[in-house]
Short mmCIF file of all heavy atoms in Angstrom, two decimals:
data_model
loop_
_atom_site.label_atom_id
_atom_site.label_comp_id
_atom_site.label_asym_id
_atom_site.label_seq_id
_atom_site.Cartn_x
_atom_site.Cartn_y
_atom_site.Cartn_z
N LEU A 9 -9.26 13.40 6.13
CA LEU A 9 -10.07 14.59 6.40
C LEU A 9 -11.09 14.26 7.47
O LEU A 9 -11.74 13.20 7.42
CB LEU A 9 -10.83 15.02 5.14
CG LEU A 9 -10.36 16.26 4.39
CD1 LEU A 9 -8.97 16.04 3.85
CD2 LEU A 9 -11.31 16.60 3.27
N ALA A 14 -19.38 21.84 12.93
CA ALA A 14 -19.25 23.25 12.55
C ALA A 14 -18.59 23.45 11.20
O ALA A 14 -18.58 24.57 10.69
CB ALA A 14 -18.46 24.00 13.63
N ALA A 27 -9.32 16.36 -4.22
CA ALA A 27 -9.54 15.17 -5.06
C ALA A 27 -9.32 15.55 -6.52
O ALA A 27 -8.73 14.78 -7.29
CB ALA A 27 -10.94 14.61 -4.84
N PRO A 38 -17.88 13.91 10.02
CA PRO A 38 -19.24 13.41 9.85
C PRO A 38 -19.94 14.03 8.63
O PRO A 38 -19.44 15.01 8.07
CB PRO A 38 -19.93 13.84 11.14
CG PRO A 38 -19.24 15.12 11.49
CD PRO A 38 -17.81 14.94 11.06
N THR A 39 -21.11 13.49 8.29
CA THR A 39 -21.85 14.01 7.14
C THR A 39 -23.18 14.63 7.53
O THR A 39 -23.82 15.26 6.72
CB THR A 39 -22.11 12.89 6.12
OG1 THR A 39 -22.77 11.81 6.79
CG2 THR A 39 -20.81 12.40 5.51
N SER A 59 -0.52 6.24 11.92
CA SER A 59 -0.32 4.82 11.57
C SER A 59 0.35 4.65 10.22
O SER A 59 0.77 3.56 9.87
CB SER A 59 -1.68 4.11 11.53
OG SER A 59 -2.43 4.57 10.42
N GLY A 60 0.41 5.73 9.43
CA GLY A 60 0.97 5.63 8.09
C GLY A 60 -0.06 5.32 7.03
O GLY A 60 0.26 5.25 5.84
N CYS A 69 -12.70 22.46 12.70
CA CYS A 69 -13.83 22.67 13.60
C CYS A 69 -14.19 24.15 13.48
O CYS A 69 -13.83 24.79 12.48
CB CYS A 69 -13.51 22.24 15.04
SG CYS A 69 -12.21 23.13 15.89
N GLY A 72 -10.82 25.69 14.54
CA GLY A 72 -9.63 24.89 14.22
C GLY A 72 -8.79 24.57 15.45
O GLY A 72 -7.88 23.74 15.39
N ARG A 83 0.58 10.48 19.36
CA ARG A 83 2.02 10.39 19.16
C ARG A 83 2.37 10.45 17.67
O ARG A 83 1.78 9.72 16.86
CB ARG A 83 2.53 9.08 19.76
CG ARG A 83 4.02 8.88 19.72
CD ARG A 83 4.38 7.57 20.39
NE ARG A 83 4.02 7.60 21.81
CZ ARG A 83 4.84 7.99 22.79
NH1 ARG A 83 6.07 8.35 22.50
NH2 ARG A 83 4.44 7.98 24.04
N ASP A 104 7.70 20.32 9.67
CA ASP A 104 7.30 18.99 9.16
C ASP A 104 5.91 18.62 9.68
O ASP A 104 5.67 17.47 10.07
CB ASP A 104 8.34 17.93 9.57
CG ASP A 104 8.23 16.68 8.71
OD1 ASP A 104 7.61 16.74 7.63
OD2 ASP A 104 8.77 15.64 9.12
N LEU A 110 -8.07 23.87 10.32
CA LEU A 110 -8.71 25.10 9.83
C LEU A 110 -9.96 25.40 10.65
O LEU A 110 -10.65 24.47 11.10
CB LEU A 110 -9.11 24.93 8.37
CG LEU A 110 -7.96 24.77 7.38
CD1 LEU A 110 -8.48 24.22 6.05
CD2 LEU A 110 -7.26 26.10 7.16
N ASP A 125 -3.82 24.59 -0.36
CA ASP A 125 -2.86 24.46 -1.48
C ASP A 125 -1.44 24.77 -1.00
O ASP A 125 -0.48 24.11 -1.42
CB ASP A 125 -3.25 25.40 -2.61
CG ASP A 125 -4.47 24.91 -3.38
OD1 ASP A 125 -4.84 23.72 -3.23
OD2 ASP A 125 -5.06 25.71 -4.13
N PHE A 127 -0.25 24.38 2.03
CA PHE A 127 0.18 23.26 2.88
C PHE A 127 0.60 22.06 2.04
O PHE A 127 1.68 21.50 2.23
CB PHE A 127 -0.97 22.89 3.83
CG PHE A 127 -0.68 21.76 4.77
CD1 PHE A 127 0.14 21.94 5.87
CD2 PHE A 127 -1.26 20.51 4.57
CE1 PHE A 127 0.40 20.89 6.75
CE2 PHE A 127 -1.01 19.47 5.44
CZ PHE A 127 -0.17 19.66 6.53
N GLY A 134 14.14 19.89 6.08
CA GLY A 134 15.17 19.12 6.79
C GLY A 134 16.27 20.03 7.35
O GLY A 134 16.00 21.16 7.76
N THR A 139 16.62 18.91 13.28
CA THR A 139 17.08 18.87 14.67
C THR A 139 15.97 19.34 15.61
O THR A 139 15.71 18.75 16.66
CB THR A 139 18.31 19.79 14.84
OG1 THR A 139 19.31 19.37 13.92
CG2 THR A 139 18.84 19.76 16.26
N MET A 143 13.56 17.38 18.38
CA MET A 143 13.39 17.81 19.78
C MET A 143 11.92 17.79 20.18
O MET A 143 11.58 17.47 21.32
CB MET A 143 13.99 19.21 19.97
CG MET A 143 15.51 19.24 19.87
SD MET A 143 16.18 20.92 19.83
CE MET A 143 15.89 21.43 21.54
#
Side-chain angles (χ1 to χ4, degrees):
L9 254 63
T39 55
S59 70
C69 64
R83 184 178 296 269
D104 199 17
L110 294 164
D125 286 345
F127 180 74
T139 303
M143 291 171 71

